[in-house]
Amino acid sequence: MIFFRYIIIGLTYIGLGLGYLPGLRMNRASIALVGASLLMAFGVLDLKEAWQAIDYKTLIFLFGMMVISTNLAYAGFFQLTLDTVTHFTRSPLGLLIILTFGSGILSAFFLNDTIALILTPLVLGLTQTLKLNPIPYLLALAGATNLGSVATLSGNPQNILIGSFSGISYLDFAKALTPIALVSLLIQIGLLWWIYPDVRSTKSCPSVTPVRYRIFKPLLTKSLLITAGLLIAFLIGMPPAQATLVAASLLFITRRIKPQRVLNKVDWDLLVMFSGLFIVTAGVQKLGILNLFGGLVHTPLSILGVTALLSNLVSNVPAVLLLQHLLPHPDTKTWLLLAAGSTLAGNLTLLGSVANLIVAEAVAKLGYQLSFWEHLRFGLPLTVLTLILAYYYIH
């Protein structure tokens, strides 16, 4: 029985790291759900313990942010944003800078995976129209969505978790990590300038016919007003989950868009994956497996190193769920280091974050290839430099 329990946990984390299990049609959501169910079947947890292990605040926060992002996407906000910023420059270097900071800033306020999903086809269309090599710009998008999301609690799922566990306010978190995010975006631009000579040009590309898109002004106005109200609620210290749920609910009061269209865009897979992960992590904790790693996270440097390693082995969200039980008497700096390390490490490899995979899969569908090694020669130095920055800035 003990042997099977450990096999279940091992296969679950291998599947979460790969995103699939060889020979089976399973994604991360189904892997987490099956792993959680089998741990209950083998007596590690009962149903009540499993239910209590689920952090409902995190699920509500995630759901609310997905609803808000979907409404903004339907209103044409993200297309309008990209079109607006590209009016300032059409040079390869200018576009790289604007894309990096534009997607990075958007990712600080909306989930980074959502920004990657929405902007990838837009960036591909723009580079094809301007006859530019899309790879450096897609790397910029993937990297910036990770780097920008470091700045706030709403930037990515692992930050949402850390906010729930630590109780750090939205404003305090942003004050601490925004400088790291901004400097990291500058580092990214420098690396892409160095690796890809084509992006160094400051000469404008030939004028082209602008891409046509629709803006739904009433929905856009309403969505922006509610989003602004939500950010104000964060800044004055309202509980993030509660504020986000209220904002999302207000967006459902409408005559302009069917609720099914919004709910169909909610990433239910991600919510199911989180629920399963909470249960699996509780099972790991109950079996005492985490005690084997307790001695590895006793200093700030070791916490950062183990976080970066685990984030690339089992993905950053499972890494945070595991490590939050191991941190010795965590203070604000320790939580911030965990947040920065788990997010910045996502740039190391193509498998390091969901945003990277979203970009790679979208590229493949359009006939381009973003290989593991192509990403690594950019991601490795970026990750090392930004982790060093985070370590010395926080400590």
Side-chain angles (χ1 to χ4, degrees), residues 91-101 136-137 140 189 192-193 199:
S91 71
L93 181 59
L95 287 173
L96 179 70
I97 293 171
I98 288 178
L99 176 61
T100 296
F101 278 99
Y137 297 95
I189 292 170
L192 289 170
W193 182 91
V199 307

Side-chain angles (χ1 to χ4, degrees), residues 291-313:
N291 297 334
L292 301 173
F293 302 95
L296 300 177
V297 289
H298 56 281
T299 67
L301 187 59
S302 64
I303 290 172
L304 190 64
V306 171
T307 301
L309 179 62
L310 276 180
S311 294
N312 278 276
L313 289 177

Side-chain angles (χ1 to χ4, degrees), residues 201-275:
S201 175
T202 55
K203 294 181 179 179
S204 293
C205 297
S207 297
V208 293
T209 304
V211 178
R212 299 186 65 182
Y213 55 90
R214 297 180 66 185
I215 298 294
F216 297 94
K217 290 184 179 179
L219 180 59
L220 179 61
T221 302
K222 178 184 177 182
S223 299
L224 288 176
L225 285 173
I226 289 176
T227 302
L230 176 63
L231 294 177
I232 292 170
F234 287 157
L235 296 177
I236 64 176
M238 284 188 65
Q242 179 179 323
T244 307
L245 183 61
V246 171
S249 299
L250 291 175
L251 286 169
F252 279 114
I253 305 173
T254 179
R255 293 181 301 169
R256 303 186 182 279
I257 183 170
K258 293 181 179 179
Q260 298 96 312
R261 293 184 66 188
V262 176
L263 291 172
N264 286 340
K265 291 292 185 180
V266 169
D267 192 345
W268 298 106
D269 282 2
L270 186 63
L271 297 178
V272 170
M273 186 190 78
F274 264 79
S275 301

Side-chain angles (χ1 to χ4, degrees), residues 350-373:
L350 196 59
L351 304 175
S353 77
V354 176
N356 297 346
L357 294 173
I358 288 171
V359 171
E361 289 178 11
V363 172
K365 290 177 182 177
L366 293 172
Y368 294 92
Q369 184 180 11
L370 179 57
S371 69
F372 181 89
W373 298 110

